[in-house]
């Protein structure tokens, strides 16, 4: 019966607006009208119209100009151009920009009803596409991890393989890349998935508290130990123990932990009873443990025990192709969680997000989207919602100097490839010697954001 | 009168309506011809509206051709102006249907067979394009009458808020030309029947017993 398709008629002539409005209403569509381009764009900011009937010849803002904005910011909205002059060139231009069809005023009723039928079919196909996209989303989402880049797809495959074994895993990656999510995914896919997933952030506790958190204690073991407490090692029985920020574990405790990992038995603090446990260990760090070993801050035997299988999560700046997908994922989540009708992002804003280096990785991107959704007053996120990122954007964007631009660009590429000179030179399409010369000339050094 | 509410409905050619000459105006729908429209087609439209819509229909005294709605540039008659005039000048029927022989248009379309005020009082049907086949030859009188009745039913139903229907077998399905009109049945689908009954209740209109 009545279609739930919503239509916006944009024409500067009132009689045309009213008469098309009346005709479309008779077909049960939800119809609104706008007398000009800016009014239409303001309405689109609030309402997700399925279809726009858009007059080409309008004062102030032409239909083509409106079409360009619509196709860029609201690509899901279908646009049919209306022309009174039968100007084929303009209509062809409109079709190239993305209009689905055009009609010459006055329309033949047969043509209009056939077109409407065609568009309804197109809408149905679009709905089907959304369904298919959801199915694809399953494929690009592994547990709670999102990514279609090769790096992430390789990681998903690796997680699947790793989950089947019971060997210890060491996950490396910058802060905010999602190391705990990877650990949880391994646990969820493993035979231990019915057991507990016990996480502890080793960097969050001073030494004596970390010991008590891990091993537990008996009553009276130390001042303030009024009753016995189970440690995380105990709690992880039959499950997975996730040691986050393992690089911060003090040397003495590394010895104790190594013994537990080897014997699968331990004593609570102040206790004499040996407790046997059965768990799988997954550790994570953003430190370069090899370097820490060289400095004598990390035990080599403990490292080997943890690093039976190693997984590396690339930083977001090395998988920029995943940014739109992640943005969509977080936008969907936060528009639902905040109960706000923010369902799209402008191209400019997306470009800005792709350009940004994301030192805080996926976590920083997630926070940025949440913050933008909260402050957004329309249904589309624009660059203004991300102004808090602006000071951190590449300095190159603020200068016209060729040399400064070159320095910033070379630095950016080097950081992207973790200062791997061969890969950076390849990306810059120059040879390694030239890159070395530039590094020396401009006195470039690795910054903190890169490893 | 032939049996009402049957799916195998055929055109009722024998009027059973309230003729203004014999009965006072008490019906729900008043049917009026504007200009050169034959009495036979008027009677047939009135009889079929009464039978299919189950509403008492009155035939109103004829009026002049709606020259006030003529558009010099389009060489056609503006349907919305005729509707406005019918709604303002004819009382007290809750619904008015005008029949005209001139060609109708609305500004956005090249022509219309009929037009109605959605949820309003007035509807109008043009006989102009219903007499011919697409290639120009004339259709039989029966086909012509049937087309006029179908457009009339469709337009009057719009005044009861009915919208176009996707069901293949329904008078509210949108037709894309006169021959497409010939394919339409002379009845409403069960959904539109239900919507119509609901509209009668909403507008506090008493329909005739089945």
């Amino acid at each position: 019966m009545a279609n739930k398709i919503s239509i916006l008629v944009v024409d500067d002539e009132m009689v045309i607006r009213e008469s098309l409005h009346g005709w479309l209403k008779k077909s049960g569509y939800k119809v609104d009208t706008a007398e000009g381009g800016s009014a239409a764009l303001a309405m689109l900011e609030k309402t997700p119209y399925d279809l726009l009937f858009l007059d080409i010849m309008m004062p102030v803002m032409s239909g083509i100009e409106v079409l360009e904005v619509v196709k860029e910011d609201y690509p899901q909205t279908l646009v049919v151009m209306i022309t009174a002059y039968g100007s084929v060139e303009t209509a062809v231009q409109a079709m190239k920009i993305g209009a689905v069809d055009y009609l010459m005023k006055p329309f033949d009723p047969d043509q209009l009803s056939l077109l409407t039928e065609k568009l309804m079919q197109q809408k149905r196909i679009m709905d089907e596409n959304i369904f298919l996209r959801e199915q694809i989303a399953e494929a690009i989402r592994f547990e709670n991890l999102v990514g279609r880049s090769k790096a992430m797809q390789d990681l998903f495959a690796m997680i699947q393989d790793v989950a089947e074994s019971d060997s210890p895993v060491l996950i490396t990656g910058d802060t905010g890349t999602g190391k705990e999510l990877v650990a949880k995914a391994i646990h969820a896919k493993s035979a231990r998935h019915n057991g507990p997933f016990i996480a502890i952030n080793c960097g969050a506790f001073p030494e004596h508290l970390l010991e008590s958190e891990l091993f537990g204690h008996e009553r009276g073991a130390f001042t303030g130990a009024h009753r016995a407490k189970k440690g995380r090692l105990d709690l992880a029985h039959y499950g997975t123990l996730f040691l986050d920020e393992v690089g911060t574990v003090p040397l003495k405790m590394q010895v104790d932990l190594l013994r537990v990992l080897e014997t699968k038995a331990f004593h609570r603090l102040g206790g004499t009873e040996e407790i046997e446990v059965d768990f799988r260990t997954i550790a994570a760090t953003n430190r370069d443990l090899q370097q820490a070993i060289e400095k004598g801050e990390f035990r080599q035997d403990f490292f080997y025990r943890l690093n039976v299988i190693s997984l590396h999560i690339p930083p977001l700046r090395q998988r920029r192709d995943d940014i739109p997908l992640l943005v969509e994922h977080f936008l969907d989540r936060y528009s639902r969680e905040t109960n706000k009708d923010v369902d799209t992002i402008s191209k400019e804003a997306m470009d800005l997000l792709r350009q940004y280096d994301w030192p805080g990785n996926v976590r920083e991107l997630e926070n940025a989207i949440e913050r933008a959704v909260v402050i957004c007053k329309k249904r589309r996120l624009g660059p203004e919602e991300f102004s808090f990122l602006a000071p951190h954007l590449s300095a190159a964007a603020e200068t016209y100097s060729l040399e400064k631009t070159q320095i910033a660009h070379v630095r950016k590429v080097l950081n992207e490839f973790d200062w791997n000179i061969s890969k950076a030179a390849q990306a810059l399409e120059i040879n390694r010697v030239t890159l070395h010369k530039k590094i020396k000339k401009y006195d470039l050094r690795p910054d903190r954001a890169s490893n | 009168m032939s049996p009402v509410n049957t799916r195998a409905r055929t055109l009722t050619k024998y009027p059973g309506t309230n003729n203004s000459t014999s009965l006072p105006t008490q019906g729900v729908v008043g049917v009026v011809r504007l200009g050169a429209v034959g009495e036979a087609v008027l009677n047939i439209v009135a009889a079929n509206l009464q039978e299919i819509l189950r509403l008492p229909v009155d035939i109103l005294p004829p009026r002049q051709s709606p020259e006030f709605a003529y558009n010099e540039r389009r060489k056609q008659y503006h349907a919305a102006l005729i509707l406005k005039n019918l709604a303002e000048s004819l009382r007290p029927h809750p619904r008015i249907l005008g029949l005209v022989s001139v060609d109708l248009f609305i500004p956005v379309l090249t022509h219309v067979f009929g037009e109605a005020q959605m949820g309003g009082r007035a509807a109008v049907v043009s006989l102009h394009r219903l007499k011919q086949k697409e290639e120009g030859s004339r259709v039989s009188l029966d086909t012509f009458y049937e087309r006029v009745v179908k457009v009339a039913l469709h337009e009057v139903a719009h005044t009861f808020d009915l919208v176009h229907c996707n069901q293949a077998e329904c008078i509210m399905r949108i037709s894309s030309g006169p021959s497409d009109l010939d394919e339409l049945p002379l009845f409403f689908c069960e959904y539109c029947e239900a919507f119509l009954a609901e509209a009668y209740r909403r507008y506090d209109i008493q329909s005739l017993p089945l």
Side-chain angles (χ1 to χ4, degrees), chain A residues 1 19 23 25-28 106-110 112-113, chain B residues 74 108-111 115-116 158 163-164 166 174 176 192 195:
Chain A
M1 259 333 280
S19 117
W23 192 90
K25 280 289 253 195
K26 280 190 193 170
S27 288
F107 320 148
D108 185 317
D110 304 355
L112 183 56
S113 54
Chain B
R74 301 270 308 239
V108 79
L109 295 180
T110 50
H111 64 274
E115 182 68 351
H158 276 318
V163 296
H164 292 148
N166 291 334
I174 196 161
S176 58
C192 289
F195 288 134

PDB file of all heavy atoms in Angstrom, chain A residues 1 19 23 25-28 106-110 112-113, chain B residues 74 108-111 115-116 158 163-164 166 174 176 192 195:
ATOM      1  N   MET A   1       0.859  -1.201   0.000  1.00  0.00           N
ATOM      2  CA  MET A   1       0.000   0.000   0.000  1.00  0.00           C
ATOM      3  C   MET A   1       0.880   1.230   0.000  1.00  0.00           C
ATOM      4  O   MET A   1       1.759   1.378  -0.808  1.00  0.00           O
ATOM      5  CB  MET A   1      -0.847   0.023   1.271  1.00  0.00           C
ATOM      6  CG  MET A   1      -2.278  -0.392   1.239  1.00  0.00           C
ATOM      7  SD  MET A   1      -3.244  -0.241  -0.212  1.00  0.00           S
ATOM      8  CE  MET A   1      -3.724   1.408  -0.271  1.00  0.00           C
ATOM      9  N   SER A  19       1.909  21.290  -7.064  1.00  0.00           N
ATOM     10  CA  SER A  19       1.256  20.287  -7.885  1.00  0.00           C
ATOM     11  C   SER A  19       1.987  18.944  -7.814  1.00  0.00           C
ATOM     12  O   SER A  19       1.354  17.896  -7.752  1.00  0.00           O
ATOM     13  CB  SER A  19       1.039  20.855  -9.279  1.00  0.00           C
ATOM     14  OG  SER A  19       1.679  20.225 -10.260  1.00  0.00           O
ATOM     15  N   TRP A  23       0.515  15.385  -6.266  1.00  0.00           N
ATOM     16  CA  TRP A  23       0.543  14.133  -7.037  1.00  0.00           C
ATOM     17  C   TRP A  23       1.239  13.032  -6.240  1.00  0.00           C
ATOM     18  O   TRP A  23       0.778  11.891  -6.177  1.00  0.00           O
ATOM     19  CB  TRP A  23       1.259  14.372  -8.374  1.00  0.00           C
ATOM     20  CG  TRP A  23       1.078  13.246  -9.339  1.00  0.00           C
ATOM     21  CD1 TRP A  23       0.089  13.112 -10.262  1.00  0.00           C
ATOM     22  CD2 TRP A  23       1.893  12.067  -9.461  1.00  0.00           C
ATOM     23  NE1 TRP A  23       0.233  11.941 -10.955  1.00  0.00           N
ATOM     24  CE2 TRP A  23       1.327  11.277 -10.479  1.00  0.00           C
ATOM     25  CE3 TRP A  23       3.036  11.606  -8.809  1.00  0.00           C
ATOM     26  CZ2 TRP A  23       1.871  10.065 -10.881  1.00  0.00           C
ATOM     27  CZ3 TRP A  23       3.570  10.374  -9.201  1.00  0.00           C
ATOM     28  CH2 TRP A  23       2.993   9.626 -10.221  1.00  0.00           C
ATOM     29  N   LYS A  25       1.674  12.883  -2.995  1.00  0.00           N
ATOM     30  CA  LYS A  25       0.892  12.559  -1.801  1.00  0.00           C
ATOM     31  C   LYS A  25      -0.136  11.480  -2.116  1.00  0.00           C
ATOM     32  O   LYS A  25      -0.435  10.622  -1.301  1.00  0.00           O
ATOM     33  CB  LYS A  25       0.148  13.795  -1.279  1.00  0.00           C
ATOM     34  CG  LYS A  25       1.010  14.738  -0.470  1.00  0.00           C
ATOM     35  CD  LYS A  25       1.369  14.159   0.851  1.00  0.00           C
ATOM     36  CE  LYS A  25       0.640  14.809   1.988  1.00  0.00           C
ATOM     37  NZ  LYS A  25       1.303  14.449   3.263  1.00  0.00           N
ATOM     38  N   LYS A  26      -0.697  11.582  -3.341  1.00  0.00           N
ATOM     39  CA  LYS A  26      -1.719  10.605  -3.732  1.00  0.00           C
ATOM     40  C   LYS A  26      -1.152   9.201  -3.823  1.00  0.00           C
ATOM     41  O   LYS A  26      -1.886   8.232  -3.815  1.00  0.00           O
ATOM     42  CB  LYS A  26      -2.283  10.982  -5.102  1.00  0.00           C
ATOM     43  CG  LYS A  26      -3.301  12.076  -5.041  1.00  0.00           C
ATOM     44  CD  LYS A  26      -3.919  12.154  -6.402  1.00  0.00           C
ATOM     45  CE  LYS A  26      -4.731  13.374  -6.611  1.00  0.00           C
ATOM     46  NZ  LYS A  26      -5.088  13.496  -8.030  1.00  0.00           N
ATOM     47  N   SER A  27       0.173   9.111  -3.980  1.00  0.00           N
ATOM     48  CA  SER A  27       0.773   7.781  -4.025  1.00  0.00           C
ATOM     49  C   SER A  27       1.215   7.338  -2.646  1.00  0.00           C
ATOM     50  O   SER A  27       1.876   6.312  -2.500  1.00  0.00           O
ATOM     51  CB  SER A  27       1.946   7.768  -5.000  1.00  0.00           C
ATOM     52  OG  SER A  27       1.448   7.846  -6.309  1.00  0.00           O
ATOM     53  N   GLY A  28       0.892   8.147  -1.638  1.00  0.00           N
ATOM     54  CA  GLY A  28       1.154   7.740  -0.263  1.00  0.00           C
ATOM     55  C   GLY A  28       2.560   8.051   0.212  1.00  0.00           C
ATOM     56  O   GLY A  28       2.978   7.542   1.241  1.00  0.00           O
ATOM     57  N   PRO A 106       6.328  20.397 -18.507  1.00  0.00           N
ATOM     58  CA  PRO A 106       5.558  19.527 -17.623  1.00  0.00           C
ATOM     59  C   PRO A 106       5.831  18.064 -17.931  1.00  0.00           C
ATOM     60  O   PRO A 106       6.100  17.708 -19.070  1.00  0.00           O
ATOM     61  CB  PRO A 106       4.119  19.896 -17.969  1.00  0.00           C
ATOM     62  CG  PRO A 106       4.168  20.346 -19.389  1.00  0.00           C
ATOM     63  CD  PRO A 106       5.513  20.967 -19.608  1.00  0.00           C
ATOM     64  N   PHE A 107       5.753  17.203 -16.902  1.00  0.00           N
ATOM     65  CA  PHE A 107       6.049  15.784 -17.112  1.00  0.00           C
ATOM     66  C   PHE A 107       4.847  15.082 -17.710  1.00  0.00           C
ATOM     67  O   PHE A 107       3.711  15.428 -17.427  1.00  0.00           O
ATOM     68  CB  PHE A 107       6.348  15.039 -15.807  1.00  0.00           C
ATOM     69  CG  PHE A 107       7.160  15.769 -14.799  1.00  0.00           C
ATOM     70  CD1 PHE A 107       6.953  15.543 -13.449  1.00  0.00           C
ATOM     71  CD2 PHE A 107       8.166  16.650 -15.173  1.00  0.00           C
ATOM     72  CE1 PHE A 107       7.708  16.187 -12.489  1.00  0.00           C
ATOM     73  CE2 PHE A 107       8.925  17.301 -14.227  1.00  0.00           C
ATOM     74  CZ  PHE A 107       8.691  17.074 -12.891  1.00  0.00           C
ATOM     75  N   ASP A 108       5.156  14.052 -18.496  1.00  0.00           N
ATOM     76  CA  ASP A 108       4.108  13.157 -18.962  1.00  0.00           C
ATOM     77  C   ASP A 108       3.739  12.280 -17.761  1.00  0.00           C
ATOM     78  O   ASP A 108       4.628  11.700 -17.132  1.00  0.00           O
ATOM     79  CB  ASP A 108       4.688  12.301 -20.104  1.00  0.00           C
ATOM     80  CG  ASP A 108       3.640  11.422 -20.731  1.00  0.00           C
ATOM     81  OD1 ASP A 108       2.852  10.842 -19.962  1.00  0.00           O
ATOM     82  OD2 ASP A 108       3.611  11.307 -21.967  1.00  0.00           O
ATOM     83  N   PRO A 109       2.445  12.186 -17.408  1.00  0.00           N
ATOM     84  CA  PRO A 109       2.096  11.389 -16.222  1.00  0.00           C
ATOM     85  C   PRO A 109       2.579   9.949 -16.317  1.00  0.00           C
ATOM     86  O   PRO A 109       2.985   9.359 -15.312  1.00  0.00           O
ATOM     87  CB  PRO A 109       0.568  11.457 -16.162  1.00  0.00           C
ATOM     88  CG  PRO A 109       0.106  12.139 -17.385  1.00  0.00           C
ATOM     89  CD  PRO A 109       1.267  12.802 -18.036  1.00  0.00           C
ATOM     90  N   ASP A 110       2.560   9.396 -17.545  1.00  0.00           N
ATOM     91  CA  ASP A 110       3.029   8.009 -17.714  1.00  0.00           C
ATOM     92  C   ASP A 110       4.493   7.908 -17.320  1.00  0.00           C
ATOM     93  O   ASP A 110       4.922   6.986 -16.634  1.00  0.00           O
ATOM     94  CB  ASP A 110       2.905   7.550 -19.168  1.00  0.00           C
ATOM     95  CG  ASP A 110       1.492   7.689 -19.687  1.00  0.00           C
ATOM     96  OD1 ASP A 110       0.622   8.044 -18.865  1.00  0.00           O
ATOM     97  OD2 ASP A 110       1.274   7.463 -20.882  1.00  0.00           O
ATOM     98  N   LEU A 112       6.175   9.919 -15.374  1.00  0.00           N
ATOM     99  CA  LEU A 112       6.361  10.135 -13.933  1.00  0.00           C
ATOM    100  C   LEU A 112       6.021   8.865 -13.148  1.00  0.00           C
ATOM    101  O   LEU A 112       6.761   8.467 -12.245  1.00  0.00           O
ATOM    102  CB  LEU A 112       5.505  11.310 -13.446  1.00  0.00           C
ATOM    103  CG  LEU A 112       5.653  11.691 -11.978  1.00  0.00           C
ATOM    104  CD1 LEU A 112       7.099  12.009 -11.609  1.00  0.00           C
ATOM    105  CD2 LEU A 112       4.769  12.891 -11.635  1.00  0.00           C
ATOM    106  N   SER A 113       4.903   8.201 -13.551  1.00  0.00           N
ATOM    107  CA  SER A 113       4.558   6.997 -12.780  1.00  0.00           C
ATOM    108  C   SER A 113       5.549   5.870 -13.062  1.00  0.00           C
ATOM    109  O   SER A 113       5.894   5.119 -12.149  1.00  0.00           O
ATOM    110  CB  SER A 113       3.119   6.561 -13.032  1.00  0.00           C
ATOM    111  OG  SER A 113       2.894   6.409 -14.382  1.00  0.00           O
TER     112      SER A 113
ATOM    113  N   ARG B  74      -1.135  26.838 -22.111  1.00  0.00           N
ATOM    114  CA  ARG B  74      -1.191  25.376 -22.205  1.00  0.00           C
ATOM    115  C   ARG B  74      -2.318  24.897 -23.120  1.00  0.00           C
ATOM    116  O   ARG B  74      -2.376  23.732 -23.483  1.00  0.00           O
ATOM    117  CB  ARG B  74      -1.387  24.761 -20.806  1.00  0.00           C
ATOM    118  CG  ARG B  74      -0.300  25.083 -19.783  1.00  0.00           C
ATOM    119  CD  ARG B  74       0.827  24.095 -19.786  1.00  0.00           C
ATOM    120  NE  ARG B  74       0.414  22.718 -19.660  1.00  0.00           N
ATOM    121  CZ  ARG B  74       0.785  21.897 -18.685  1.00  0.00           C
ATOM    122  NH1 ARG B  74       1.550  22.351 -17.712  1.00  0.00           N
ATOM    123  NH2 ARG B  74       0.425  20.637 -18.684  1.00  0.00           N
ATOM    124  N   VAL B 108       2.529  20.554 -13.146  1.00  0.00           N
ATOM    125  CA  VAL B 108       3.717  19.727 -13.315  1.00  0.00           C
ATOM    126  C   VAL B 108       3.539  18.618 -14.354  1.00  0.00           C
ATOM    127  O   VAL B 108       4.498  18.032 -14.815  1.00  0.00           O
ATOM    128  CB  VAL B 108       4.152  19.149 -11.932  1.00  0.00           C
ATOM    129  CG1 VAL B 108       3.296  17.961 -11.535  1.00  0.00           C
ATOM    130  CG2 VAL B 108       5.620  18.818 -11.910  1.00  0.00           C
ATOM    131  N   LEU B 109       2.272  18.364 -14.759  1.00  0.00           N
ATOM    132  CA  LEU B 109       2.024  17.267 -15.705  1.00  0.00           C
ATOM    133  C   LEU B 109       1.445  17.768 -17.025  1.00  0.00           C
ATOM    134  O   LEU B 109       0.762  18.789 -17.070  1.00  0.00           O
ATOM    135  CB  LEU B 109       1.061  16.242 -15.103  1.00  0.00           C
ATOM    136  CG  LEU B 109       1.550  15.478 -13.874  1.00  0.00           C
ATOM    137  CD1 LEU B 109       0.498  14.492 -13.392  1.00  0.00           C
ATOM    138  CD2 LEU B 109       2.848  14.739 -14.163  1.00  0.00           C
ATOM    139  N   THR B 110       1.713  17.012 -18.078  1.00  0.00           N
ATOM    140  CA  THR B 110       1.206  17.395 -19.406  1.00  0.00           C
ATOM    141  C   THR B 110      -0.322  17.333 -19.451  1.00  0.00           C
ATOM    142  O   THR B 110      -0.967  18.120 -20.133  1.00  0.00           O
ATOM    143  CB  THR B 110       1.757  16.443 -20.489  1.00  0.00           C
ATOM    144  OG1 THR B 110       1.530  15.107 -20.047  1.00  0.00           O
ATOM    145  CG2 THR B 110       3.235  16.678 -20.741  1.00  0.00           C
ATOM    146  N   HIS B 111      -0.902  16.357 -18.755  1.00  0.00           N
ATOM    147  CA  HIS B 111      -2.358  16.205 -18.710  1.00  0.00           C
ATOM    148  C   HIS B 111      -2.730  15.283 -17.562  1.00  0.00           C
ATOM    149  O   HIS B 111      -1.864  14.583 -17.017  1.00  0.00           O
ATOM    150  CB  HIS B 111      -2.867  15.585 -20.027  1.00  0.00           C
ATOM    151  CG  HIS B 111      -2.351  14.190 -20.236  1.00  0.00           C
ATOM    152  ND1 HIS B 111      -1.136  13.929 -20.832  1.00  0.00           N
ATOM    153  CD2 HIS B 111      -2.876  12.987 -19.898  1.00  0.00           C
ATOM    154  CE1 HIS B 111      -0.936  12.627 -20.858  1.00  0.00           C
ATOM    155  NE2 HIS B 111      -1.976  12.026 -20.291  1.00  0.00           N
ATOM    156  N   GLU B 115      -8.638  14.506 -11.319  1.00  0.00           N
ATOM    157  CA  GLU B 115      -7.874  15.104 -10.223  1.00  0.00           C
ATOM    158  C   GLU B 115      -8.797  15.182  -9.011  1.00  0.00           C
ATOM    159  O   GLU B 115     -10.031  15.252  -9.162  1.00  0.00           O
ATOM    160  CB  GLU B 115      -7.386  16.497 -10.652  1.00  0.00           C
ATOM    161  CG  GLU B 115      -6.538  17.245  -9.654  1.00  0.00           C
ATOM    162  CD  GLU B 115      -5.155  16.643  -9.394  1.00  0.00           C
ATOM    163  OE1 GLU B 115      -4.884  15.529  -9.874  1.00  0.00           O
ATOM    164  OE2 GLU B 115      -4.369  17.267  -8.687  1.00  0.00           O
ATOM    165  N   ALA B 116      -8.217  15.135  -7.826  1.00  0.00           N
ATOM    166  CA  ALA B 116      -9.052  15.190  -6.620  1.00  0.00           C
ATOM    167  C   ALA B 116      -8.302  15.884  -5.509  1.00  0.00           C
ATOM    168  O   ALA B 116      -7.072  15.932  -5.509  1.00  0.00           O
ATOM    169  CB  ALA B 116      -9.423  13.770  -6.181  1.00  0.00           C
ATOM    170  N   HIS B 158      -9.832   9.153  -3.620  1.00  0.00           N
ATOM    171  CA  HIS B 158      -8.775  10.039  -3.095  1.00  0.00           C
ATOM    172  C   HIS B 158      -9.360  11.046  -2.095  1.00  0.00           C
ATOM    173  O   HIS B 158      -8.693  11.414  -1.133  1.00  0.00           O
ATOM    174  CB  HIS B 158      -8.107  10.821  -4.234  1.00  0.00           C
ATOM    175  CG  HIS B 158      -7.017  10.069  -4.941  1.00  0.00           C
ATOM    176  ND1 HIS B 158      -6.082   9.305  -4.283  1.00  0.00           N
ATOM    177  CD2 HIS B 158      -6.694  10.002  -6.274  1.00  0.00           C
ATOM    178  CE1 HIS B 158      -5.243   8.781  -5.167  1.00  0.00           C
ATOM    179  NE2 HIS B 158      -5.595   9.177  -6.386  1.00  0.00           N
ATOM    180  N   VAL B 163      -4.790   6.312  -1.007  1.00  0.00           N
ATOM    181  CA  VAL B 163      -3.637   6.605  -1.859  1.00  0.00           C
ATOM    182  C   VAL B 163      -3.502   5.512  -2.908  1.00  0.00           C
ATOM    183  O   VAL B 163      -4.219   4.509  -2.867  1.00  0.00           O
ATOM    184  CB  VAL B 163      -2.331   6.715  -1.024  1.00  0.00           C
ATOM    185  CG1 VAL B 163      -2.402   7.886  -0.062  1.00  0.00           C
ATOM    186  CG2 VAL B 163      -2.042   5.429  -0.279  1.00  0.00           C
ATOM    187  N   HIS B 164      -2.566   5.687  -3.833  1.00  0.00           N
ATOM    188  CA  HIS B 164      -2.374   4.679  -4.879  1.00  0.00           C
ATOM    189  C   HIS B 164      -1.985   3.343  -4.261  1.00  0.00           C
ATOM    190  O   HIS B 164      -1.324   3.307  -3.222  1.00  0.00           O
ATOM    191  CB  HIS B 164      -1.306   5.140  -5.877  1.00  0.00           C
ATOM    192  CG  HIS B 164      -1.763   6.321  -6.678  1.00  0.00           C
ATOM    193  ND1 HIS B 164      -0.909   7.291  -7.131  1.00  0.00           N
ATOM    194  CD2 HIS B 164      -3.002   6.702  -7.076  1.00  0.00           C
ATOM    195  CE1 HIS B 164      -1.603   8.210  -7.784  1.00  0.00           C
ATOM    196  NE2 HIS B 164      -2.887   7.883  -7.769  1.00  0.00           N
ATOM    197  N   ASN B 166      -0.534  -0.754  -4.571  1.00  0.00           N
ATOM    198  CA  ASN B 166       0.391  -1.609  -5.331  1.00  0.00           C
ATOM    199  C   ASN B 166      -0.246  -2.914  -5.794  1.00  0.00           C
ATOM    200  O   ASN B 166       0.356  -3.654  -6.569  1.00  0.00           O
ATOM    201  CB  ASN B 166       1.598  -1.980  -4.456  1.00  0.00           C
ATOM    202  CG  ASN B 166       2.476  -0.774  -4.195  1.00  0.00           C
ATOM    203  OD1 ASN B 166       2.491   0.172  -4.985  1.00  0.00           O
ATOM    204  ND2 ASN B 166       3.195  -0.791  -3.097  1.00  0.00           N
ATOM    205  N   ILE B 174      -2.094   2.755  -9.833  1.00  0.00           N
ATOM    206  CA  ILE B 174      -1.827   3.878 -10.729  1.00  0.00           C
ATOM    207  C   ILE B 174      -1.754   3.340 -12.164  1.00  0.00           C
ATOM    208  O   ILE B 174      -1.177   2.294 -12.408  1.00  0.00           O
ATOM    209  CB  ILE B 174      -0.538   4.594 -10.293  1.00  0.00           C
ATOM    210  CG1 ILE B 174      -0.443   5.961 -10.928  1.00  0.00           C
ATOM    211  CG2 ILE B 174       0.703   3.791 -10.564  1.00  0.00           C
ATOM    212  CD1 ILE B 174       0.525   6.875 -10.215  1.00  0.00           C
ATOM    213  N   SER B 176      -0.784   3.951 -16.217  1.00  0.00           N
ATOM    214  CA  SER B 176       0.117   4.829 -16.946  1.00  0.00           C
ATOM    215  C   SER B 176      -0.388   5.170 -18.346  1.00  0.00           C
ATOM    216  O   SER B 176       0.372   5.590 -19.195  1.00  0.00           O
ATOM    217  CB  SER B 176       1.513   4.213 -17.000  1.00  0.00           C
ATOM    218  OG  SER B 176       1.438   2.959 -17.598  1.00  0.00           O
ATOM    219  N   CYS B 192      -7.968  -1.702   0.293  1.00  0.00           N
ATOM    220  CA  CYS B 192      -8.561  -0.394   0.026  1.00  0.00           C
ATOM    221  C   CYS B 192     -10.028  -0.366   0.464  1.00  0.00           C
ATOM    222  O   CYS B 192     -10.522   0.672   0.910  1.00  0.00           O
ATOM    223  CB  CYS B 192      -8.399  -0.027  -1.447  1.00  0.00           C
ATOM    224  SG  CYS B 192      -6.678   0.342  -1.848  1.00  0.00           S
ATOM    225  N   PHE B 195      -9.787   0.404   4.034  1.00  0.00           N
ATOM    226  CA  PHE B 195      -9.441   1.815   4.256  1.00  0.00           C
ATOM    227  C   PHE B 195     -10.641   2.723   4.005  1.00  0.00           C
ATOM    228  O   PHE B 195     -10.859   3.713   4.698  1.00  0.00           O
ATOM    229  CB  PHE B 195      -8.282   2.244   3.345  1.00  0.00           C
ATOM    230  CG  PHE B 195      -6.959   1.658   3.750  1.00  0.00           C
ATOM    231  CD1 PHE B 195      -6.109   1.087   2.802  1.00  0.00           C
ATOM    232  CD2 PHE B 195      -6.547   1.669   5.078  1.00  0.00           C
ATOM    233  CE1 PHE B 195      -4.890   0.540   3.176  1.00  0.00           C
ATOM    234  CE2 PHE B 195      -5.321   1.122   5.459  1.00  0.00           C
ATOM    235  CZ  PHE B 195      -4.493   0.555   4.503  1.00  0.00           C
TER     236      PHE B 195
END
